[in-house]
Amino acid sequence: MNINQLLHFLVIVDECRSAAEVVSELEKLVRGYGFEYYGVVRQPKPDENPMNLVLTGHWPEGWPQLYIAKKYVLIDPTIRFLGQAHAGFRWRDALYAFRADPHRKRMERMLGDSMRFGLMDGYIFPVHGRTGLLGNMTVGGRPVDLSPTEIALFDAVAKKAYWRLLEFKHANETEAAKPIDTRMTRREMEVLNYLADGLTSNEISKILKISNHTVDWYMNGIQDKLNAKNRQHVVALSFRLGLVT
């Protein structure tokens, strides 16, 4: 395979002036690598129709309808594995990860159905933001062996395609551009590290010999600086930003 195709997309996508141009460039790349089908979607929740979240894609005729009718989104191993994946992976690797899962039989039925529709193998690439997993890009069809370098570059392609399509199609839904302030005082860092260790406000107050109210005051300040929604989000962002390890 020619990684220049991947590098070309990463350069040219920033020059695209419409969603249609992004899709055209993405489809040229996907076809050039031998994949017949692809999709760029926002992350589905169990009670949502995943097809309503598609930014762009091409699937075998009838497959989306079957996927929805059988509620495969609830047990799709690739979607479930995305929650713990930090980089792209092959579909079959996700199935192997759930080899002892109680829904294994249903996963295997889904695999059999997908193969009958020509989805023999493929890859899926997560797209993360400040709030966690936001979406993904998947490519598939006939088996294609990607090198580690190509998988890493496809990861970058997925992110570029996702954000450019979201920019054109759902400009009001892109993440807020409010900057994150990672400058913490010594006391804030102490509170943050204890929070990351799972301690409560009461436990932190006893260790630092300050009141619960003061601990909560520090917590609120940290939350505001990180633009976080709650304490769990504070912890997640702190690890992601390298504030705690």
Side-chain angles (χ1 to χ4, degrees), residues 68-85:
I68 293 166
K70 294 196 174 184
K71 298 183 178 179
Y72 278 147
V73 69
L74 297 173
I75 54 90
D76 186 337
T78 65
I79 297 299
R80 290 179 61 187
F81 196 68
L82 274 175
Q84 63 192 70

Side-chain angles (χ1 to χ4, degrees), residues 17-50:
R17 297 185 177 182
S18 68
E21 288 185 19
V22 175
V23 171
S24 175
E25 292 295 335
L26 183 59
E27 288 188 342
K28 279 192 284 187
L29 172 63
V30 169
R31 288 195 301 267
Y33 259 84
F35 296 110
E36 300 154 89
Y37 306 108
Y38 78 100
V40 180
V41 303
R42 291 179 289 165
Q43 183 63 10
K45 297 176 182 177
D47 59 343
E48 286 185 300
N49 180 340

Side-chain angles (χ1 to χ4, degrees), residues 110-131:
M110 175 189 155
L111 181 62
D113 283 340
S114 67
M115 286 185 171
R116 283 192 289 275
F117 278 84
L119 296 166
M120 309 298 292
D121 194 15
Y123 298 81
I124 189 165
F125 306 91
V127 177
H128 293 94
R130 292 206 305 265
T131 56

